[in-house]
Amino acid sequence: MKQTKDDYDKFHRKPMQVHNAQKLLSSYGKPGPTEKIPLQEGHGRFLAEEVQAPHPFPRFRRSGMDGYAIRSEDTTQCSSDNMIWLDVIDEIPCGYVSEKTIISGTAARIMTGAEVPEGADAVVMLEMTELREHEGRTQMGLKRMIEAGKNITPVGFEVKEGEVLLRTGRQIQAGEISVLASFGVHQVTVYQKPRIAIFSTGSELLTLDEPLQPGKIRNSNTYMLASQVRVAGGEPFILEAVMDDLPLAKAKVEQALQEYDAVVTSGGVSVGDYDIMGDFARSDSVEMLYNKIAMRPGSVTTAAVKDGKLLFALSGNPGACFVGFELFVRPFILQSVGSGKPYLTEWTAVLDQDYTKVNAFTRYVRGRIEVRDGILYAIPAKVDESSVMVTIKDSDCLIVIPPAKSVTPAGDKVKVLLLKGNTL
Amino acid sequence: MKQTKDDYDKFHRKPMQVHNAQKLLSSYGKPGPTEKIPLQEGHGRFLAEEVQAPHPFPRFRRSGMDGYAIRSEDTTQCSSDNMIWLDVIDEIPCGYVSEKTIISGTAARIMTGAEVPEGADAVVMLEMTELREHEGRTQMGLKRMIEAGKNITPVGFEVKEGEVLLRTGRQIQAGEISVLASFGVHQVTVYQKPRIAIFSTGSELLTLDEPLQPGKIRNSNTYMLASQVRVAGGEPFILEAVMDDLPLAKAKVEQALQEYDAVVTSGGVSVGDYDIMGDFARSDSVEMLYNKIAMRPGSVTTAAVKDGKLLFALSGNPGACFVGFELFVRPFILQSVGSGKPYLTEWTAVLDQDYTKVNAFTRYVRGRIEVRDGILYAIPAKVDESSVMVTIKDSDCLIVIPPAKSVTPAGDKVKVLLLKGNTL
């Protein structure tokens, strides 16, 4: 319990700014190996290839209406007083190609989406027409002039051949699947999900289904982190909790660093006597990147690297653990899958209520976004004790409160980082 | 090709307003059967039970700092000129319970998160203290008065016993998992995912990996819909495309309505001769709910019910199909899993550019949200030809443009429906 040189290092850590820490980490977040998977399994994955259009779209002149394919020049004399009649010489459902050519005086019945026959240069919608049998022929009648090109989508109107459909690093969602399927891309090359090992530290931790014991608390961070890893696009592996024993923790974490793409721990980084992960990060076994961040909650957040692999040692406090993941681990996972947008979306909002806590460090306050009449408001969660885990679930943003010596008043513009969605 | 009574019905459909259609459908969207699953598999699922706190949290008086547990009354005389010294009689790491009682003149070394020993009523942080060996005893020295309760989180401060932690219908995400795990809830009862059958109609449709053929297009909607079903919380089943043949389509759809919780089709609902799904919905086999919606794109969107099960017959046009799913099918799926918030989040935004298309129906224009200096702007996608499927992927909202006879000018307030995220 003596205060030693090690203690001195613990107490006199040099805090790093969040964006500097992110920059430092980003040199380790590189797209990893790729794999080819069926498109149907691609939802949520990130493209490891640029996809170009193998053909124009539409590939043929496409009817935009149910009606008749005609020659527009046949309609120049049409008016409400002058109906013209054209012989209906074919009927073209979707998926079929007419073998006939529309010549002056003729028309073909055509469906939405079908290929416009040769000779025709416009489609008139069914509702504008009449139908009759005349001298043994089926005829359609029309009283309005139709301009050339009407209701026909030209070849390549939506997409030209060779056009880039989707860039490398794009996440595959419903809209991307629609595009890829339209062009017959039935397999996609995506980045493999990084395999992330998750530990909790601390012998006070009970597993989920152990009975309660005095003084002990349940290990909730590992399960929360697993969920965050999944959402970010990684594959979580929950490993046995590391006890408060440096050699044991060291051995387990080093083994995990070999077997997985990164290791995330929670706990064991504060300024105490059992700060196993902090001690490990400061040891010769690894290269420490930082062991203090100029932020609240989670200033003790630590990171180290060994053989090019990252150890994220997050705070054991649930709120700080959550924030540390979103700011540091999530970007690493997104960089590993090639995403071009690894950081949380940042918006400017109006602070809805006074924020009274003061601090020398930037605060990442859990809160909610509300839009009222086109203006974005940021509402801090009622309690922001960093230990109050119940606010995590009710938050959809982190409100960034810069270092302040007095109250940050309602009405101030603040940055918010979106936690749920808006991934564009 | 004669225009008959059936044609008359096709052409003279009575359009229903979107919110009326949603209301009509909502009587069929009821939470389904439940299942018990391990918490670790619960991510994204919806709770079918209310979860109450089985114990207060924290369960014991918890130290908020690394430092010393003391009696605050011992510090009343402390000042920068007057250091007081207390005997350190125990050391309490996390997870252990001290058997000693702090009496006047004593203190215990304690870690963040550990249980505060009996007798102590405050924790002083390590950095404020000095340490010495004095007459064979270990002592800590302090120069500042510490108030009672300092750095101690009282029992039940975060959550009282029996307090509702999560309500029925709540989606389980990282924050919810954190809460549940903290209370040792290792199994959760959730609503089963509704099983949704997906068909495409139309003999013009090629499967994903078939070679191209003249006049035909690839079946992209089924894969897009499967992705949308998954995101909404359902389980998609892609069934063989229904050809343009009424008896065949009827048989397949009726069988699917028996085997699955709902059926979604795309295509075959416009005003043409092969409008299989429309004809089916208007037939005696089912009860039609609507076959026209006062909206663009997708006014032909149709729904019917048979034996209490819903058939959603969406437009075959990719853009209209996408929108129809988000407005009608997604809410049904969310209602089936007990969500209290089945509809897309609606915000008010400022229209960023003139919207020039006019229409008698409300338009759901694909677009993007941008926040500039606290104000929310809605930016319509460049092209909103309803057939232009490439804009789906670049959209994070639907901009609601009410019926307009002229331009909707930039600066107008418009409603936007969020497509990605902000699920709170």
Side-chain angles (χ1 to χ4, degrees), chain B residues 178-234:
Chain B
S178 169
V179 172
L180 293 170
S182 300
F183 285 93
V185 180
H186 55 94
Q187 284 197 314
V188 282
T189 304
V190 297
Y191 290 108
Q192 285 178 23
K193 296 184 180 190
R195 302 167 71 249
I196 311 292
I198 301 169
F199 286 107
S200 280
T201 60
S203 43
E204 78 279 19
L205 296 174
L206 299 167
T207 61
L208 249 183
D209 42 8
E210 271 183 283
L212 282 174
Q213 293 169 35
K216 293 189 191 278
I217 60 165
R218 289 229 170 67
N219 170 2
S220 62
N221 286 346
T222 49
Y223 305 100
M224 177 180 76
L225 286 169
S227 171
Q228 290 177 283
V229 166
R230 232 171 249 132
V231 171

Side-chain angles (χ1 to χ4, degrees), chain A residues 347 349 367-371 376-379 396-397 416-418, chain B residues 347 422 424:
Chain A
W347 281 351
R368 281 188 309 110
I369 286 171
E370 227 175 79
V371 174
L376 194 73
Y377 292 91
I379 304 167
D396 58 13
C397 71
V416 293
L417 305 177
L418 303 194
Chain B
W347 282 351
N422 287 80
L424 280 183

Side-chain angles (χ1 to χ4, degrees), chain A residues 1-3 11 39-40 43 55 57 59-60 62 66 91 93-97 109 111-112 115 126-127 129 131 133 157-159 165-166 170 173-186 203-204 208-209 212-220 223-224 227-228 230-231 244 270-275 318 322 347-349 368-369 371 373-376 385 387-390 392-396 413 418 420-424, chain B residues 1-3 11 39-40 43 55 57 59-60 62 66 91 93-97 109 111-112 115 126-127 129 131 133 157-159 165-166 170 173-186 203-204 208-209 212-220 223-224 227-228 230-231 238 270-275 318 322 347-349 368-369 371 373-376 385 387-390 392-396 413 418 420-424:
Chain A
M1 304 286 286
K2 292 260 176 68
Q3 281 171 17
F11 296 142
L39 179 60
Q40 294 99 302
H43 184 88
H55 54 73
F57 194 90
R59 271 183 311 128
F60 47 80
R62 186 180 65 196
D66 273 306
E91 180 186 335
C94 285
Y96 294 93
V97 180
R109 180 80 177 84
M111 279 182 60
T112 307
E115 181 167 343
L126 198 60
E127 290 89 330
T129 64
L131 200 65
E133 294 297 320
F157 177 75
E158 295 186 30
V159 179
L165 295 173
L166 297 169
R170 178 97 187 192
Q173 296 178 307
E176 287 76 8
I177 287 178
S178 169
V179 172
L180 293 169
S182 300
F183 286 93
V185 179
H186 55 96
S203 42
E204 78 278 20
L208 250 183
D209 42 5
L212 282 173
Q213 293 168 35
K216 293 189 192 280
I217 60 165
R218 289 230 170 66
N219 170 2
S220 63
Y223 304 101
M224 176 180 77
S227 171
Q228 290 178 284
R230 233 173 249 131
V231 171
D244 293 337
S270 56
V271 187
D273 288 320
Y274 297 85
D275 297 325
F322 178 83
W347 281 351
T348 299
R368 281 188 309 110
I369 286 171
V371 174
D373 205 31
I375 297 170
L376 194 73
E385 298 269 332
S387 54
V388 179
M389 109 295 264
V390 292
I392 299 173
K393 67 178 168 54
D394 296 324
S395 302
D396 58 13
K413 297 273 171 69
L418 303 194
K420 298 181 180 179
N422 288 80
T423 54
L424 280 182
Chain B
M1 303 286 287
K2 292 260 175 68
Q3 284 170 17
F11 295 142
L39 179 60
Q40 293 99 301
H43 185 88
H55 55 71
F57 194 90
R59 272 182 311 127
F60 48 78
R62 186 180 62 197
D66 274 307
E91 180 185 334
C94 284
Y96 294 94
V97 180
R109 182 77 177 83
M111 277 181 60
T112 305
E115 181 168 342
L126 198 61
E127 290 90 329
T129 64
L131 199 66
E133 294 296 318
F157 177 75
E158 297 186 30
V159 180
L165 296 173
L166 298 169
R170 178 98 187 193
Q173 295 179 306
E176 287 76 10
I177 287 178
S178 169
V179 172
L180 293 170
S182 300
F183 285 93
V185 180
H186 55 94
S203 43
E204 78 279 19
L208 249 183
D209 42 8
L212 282 174
Q213 293 169 35
K216 293 189 191 278
I217 60 165
R218 289 229 170 67
N219 170 2
S220 62
Y223 305 100
M224 177 180 76
S227 171
Q228 290 177 283
R230 232 171 249 132
V231 171
I238 295 182
S270 56
V271 188
D273 290 320
Y274 297 85
D275 297 325
F322 178 84
W347 282 351
T348 299
R368 281 187 311 111
I369 285 171
V371 174
D373 205 30
I375 297 169
L376 194 73
E385 297 272 329
S387 54
V388 178
M389 109 297 262
V390 291
I392 299 173
K393 67 178 168 56
D394 296 323
S395 302
D396 58 12
K413 297 273 171 69
L418 304 194
K420 297 180 180 179
N422 287 80
T423 54
L424 280 183

Side-chain angles (χ1 to χ4, degrees), chain B residues 4-22:
Chain B
T4 62
K5 166 73 173 64
D6 281 356
D7 286 340
Y8 183 87
D9 286 350
K10 280 183 190 181
F11 295 142
H12 297 83
R13 304 180 191 181
K14 197 170 176 296
M16 188 179 281
Q17 295 300 319
V18 168
H19 65 271
N20 287 336
Q22 288 177 332

Side-chain angles (χ1 to χ4, degrees), chain A residues 69-207:
Chain A
I70 59 165
R71 294 173 73 96
S72 58
E73 61 188 26
D74 282 353
T75 70
T76 45
Q77 303 305 320
C78 283
S79 72
S80 52
D81 300 328
N82 185 31
M83 177 171 276
I84 62 121
W85 292 97
L86 304 171
D87 290 349
V88 179
I89 61 167
D90 203 359
E91 180 186 335
I92 312 169
C94 285
Y96 294 93
V97 180
S98 176
E99 287 170 357
K100 300 202 173 134
T101 297
I102 304 303
I103 57 169
S104 190
T106 67
R109 180 80 177 84
I110 191 165
M111 279 182 60
T112 307
E115 181 167 343
V116 175
E118 272 185 52
D121 67 352
V123 170
V124 54
M125 64 192 290
L126 198 60
E127 290 89 330
M128 283 189 187
T129 64
E130 290 181 26
L131 200 65
R132 73 174 184 193
E133 294 297 320
H134 181 72
E135 297 177 358
R137 304 197 303 274
T138 302
Q139 292 190 320
M140 59 81 80
L142 181 65
K143 284 183 164 177
R144 214 183 290 185
M145 205 186 90
I146 304 294
E147 66 211 57
K150 187 76 181 173
N151 295 322
I152 294 181
T153 307
V155 170
F157 177 75
E158 295 186 30
V159 179
K160 310 225 173 321
E161 183 171 341
E163 200 176 314
V164 175
L165 295 173
L166 297 169
R167 297 193 187 281
T168 303
R170 178 97 187 192
Q171 191 176 21
I172 301 173
Q173 296 178 307
E176 287 76 8
I177 287 178
S178 169
V179 172
L180 293 169
S182 300
F183 286 93
V185 179
H186 55 96
Q187 284 197 313
V188 283
T189 303
V190 296
Y191 291 107
Q192 286 178 24
K193 296 184 179 190
R195 302 167 73 248
I196 311 292
I198 301 169
F199 286 108
S200 280
T201 60
S203 42
E204 78 278 20
L205 296 174
L206 299 166
T207 62

